[in-house]
Amino acid sequence: MILPQTSPSRPTAIIVMGVSGCGKTSVGAALAERLGLSFVEGDVLHPPANVEKMAKGTPLTDADRWPWLDIIGAEMATALARGEGIVVSCSALKKIYRERLRAATGGRLRFVYLSGSRELLTERMGARTGHFMPLSLLESQLATLEVPSGEEGVVTVNIDQSVEGIVTDAAIGLST
């Protein structure tokens, strides 16, 4: 399967998005591997103050997120300027965040929105270890989420399947 994102003449950035616990990192890394692109875990780009805040169970504000989104935008813009596609995991919860990221890439950005039920997300977050984001922040993220229905360049994939199945559905959606 040849995807438009892998075209050397017009590489594209892809953000794997959704609330905490939806599998952004696992899916993003596997999707990047399948497409032959580099992968950046967006959480590692958070300023230390953001990580500390979330670790304490305090939701981030828009003011907290702007610098982080700008760092992600710069990472994608740099890759695109080198003529390379890139996959990044980023919650991108609000439309205004997605618009800021689109602007950073000159519109050369696609999103894979990982959609799942509250019950499945709760189960997944409860089972993971070693992550700074506590289960208590899931409700805050769900309340903040503006589902990207109808937005151009967004592929929605249900997470109620294996990572391999999610990646396959994402790759198919990105190829259209």
Side-chain angles (χ1 to χ4, degrees):
M1 169 185 325
I2 297 174
L3 301 176
Q5 292 73 17
T6 62
S7 167
S9 63
R10 187 93 169 132
T12 301
I14 300 167
I15 288 186
V16 178
M17 65 161 288
V19 298
S20 188
C22 68
K24 293 182 295 289
T25 301
S26 299
V27 171
L31 181 63
E33 184 176 330
R34 176 157 317 169
L35 300 178
L37 302 176
S38 61
F39 172 70
V40 174
E41 163 53 75
D43 280 346
V44 303
L45 301 177
H46 269 294
N50 284 7
V51 175
E52 183 179 331
K53 197 171 185 179
M54 289 183 286
K56 291 179 179 178
T58 305
L60 297 180
T61 65
D62 286 351
D64 295 324
R65 286 189 178 101
W66 293 131
W68 174 61
L69 293 168
D70 290 341
I71 292 167
I72 290 172
E75 285 282 326
M76 293 185 301
T78 298
L80 294 172
R82 288 191 308 255
E84 301 169 3
I86 187 171
V87 177
V88 181
S89 61
C90 172
S91 54
L93 297 174
K94 291 184 178 181
K95 184 175 183 179
I96 194 168
Y97 304 163
R98 295 186 292 274
E99 291 302 327
R100 190 173 187 125
L101 293 165
R102 284 181 178 108
T105 62
R108 293 164 54 194
L109 178 60
R110 305 278 308 269
F111 289 89
V112 174
Y113 168 52
L114 302 180
S115 175
S117 70
R118 179 182 316 269
E119 295 76 24
L120 180 57
L121 293 163
T122 299
E123 177 184 316
R124 287 186 178 184
M125 282 189 73
R128 72 182 183 182
T129 58
H131 196 279
F132 63 84
M133 179 74 85
L135 178 58
S136 62
L137 287 181
L138 178 58
E139 288 304 317
S140 168
Q141 289 216 325
L142 289 169
T144 302
L145 176 65
E146 295 172 2
V147 176
S149 299
E151 288 181 35
E152 189 173 335
V154 177
V155 174
T156 299
V157 179
N158 192 305
I159 63 167
D160 191 13
Q161 57 182 318
S162 68
V163 170
E164 183 179 310
I166 295 167
V167 170
T168 296
D169 286 355
I172 291 168
L174 290 166
S175 70
T176 59

